[in-house]
Amino acid sequence: LSENASNLSVSPVLAAKNLGFYFDHRLCMEDQINHISQICYLNLRNLKRIGSRLSHDLKVQLVHAHILSVIDYCNSSYSVVTEKYMKKLQKIQNNAVRFIFKLNGKKKWTSISP
């Protein structure tokens, strides 16, 4: 299906990005959550590389700036997200807390969920 208006061709797509937010054709936020996860885990991996040289307060600031701000962007639209994707976002936050409080390695299985 393709519509022509003034010699412009418009074709349907499975996902579209607008203002940094991904909308998929079912509006289930799958593409948005997957994109957020990818960005946050990349940022978290980079923070872990330098984490041993950072103070606790600086770690908190960096997590706010590079992890939580990405999750919080357009978070009001997450009200329709399924439990599966909410758990995915919760895992990102839990990993950020583990980074801040140095809960890596053997303590990885320590519960930090509310």
Side-chain angles (χ1 to χ4, degrees), residues 1-35:
L1 285 169
S2 196
E3 298 289 330
N4 284 325
S6 304
N7 296 329
L8 293 176
S9 179
V10 179
S11 301
V13 295
L14 295 178
K17 181 179 176 182
N18 188 15
L19 296 174
F21 195 88
Y22 287 86
F23 296 92
D24 60 18
H25 68 287
R26 292 173 284 141
L27 292 176
C28 69
M29 305 298 170
E30 179 180 2
D31 291 338
Q32 175 64 15
I33 301 294
N34 288 336
H35 181 70

Side-chain angles (χ1 to χ4, degrees), residues 28-38 78 81 85-86 88-89 92:
C28 69
M29 305 298 170
E30 179 180 2
D31 291 338
Q32 175 64 15
I33 301 294
N34 288 336
H35 181 70
I36 285 174
S37 297
Q38 190 176 31
Y78 298 150
V81 172
Y85 296 117
M86 287 303 271
K88 202 168 187 178
L89 293 174
I92 296 168

Side-chain angles (χ1 to χ4, degrees), residues 12-71:
V13 295
L14 295 178
K17 181 179 176 182
N18 188 15
L19 296 174
F21 195 88
Y22 287 86
F23 296 92
D24 60 18
H25 68 287
R26 292 173 284 141
L27 292 176
C28 69
M29 305 298 170
E30 179 180 2
D31 291 338
Q32 175 64 15
I33 301 294
N34 288 336
H35 181 70
I36 285 174
S37 297
Q38 190 176 31
I39 290 172
C40 288
Y41 282 120
L42 175 70
N43 288 343
L44 199 53
R45 187 178 72 205
N46 288 333
L47 288 175
K48 284 180 181 180
R49 289 180 183 169
I50 60 169
S52 63
R53 289 170 256 166
L54 302 174
S55 68
H56 175 79
D57 292 337
L58 188 54
K59 285 181 182 181
V60 171
Q61 287 179 349
L62 289 170
V63 164
H64 276 286
H66 296 284
I67 308 295
L68 299 180
S69 65
V70 174
I71 293 173

Side-chain angles (χ1 to χ4, degrees), residues 89-105:
L89 293 174
Q90 184 67 48
K91 277 181 147 181
I92 296 168
Q93 291 177 334
N94 290 351
N95 283 321
V97 170
R98 283 187 179 98
F99 165 72
I100 291 171
F101 291 103
K102 302 177 188 173
L103 297 174
N104 297 321

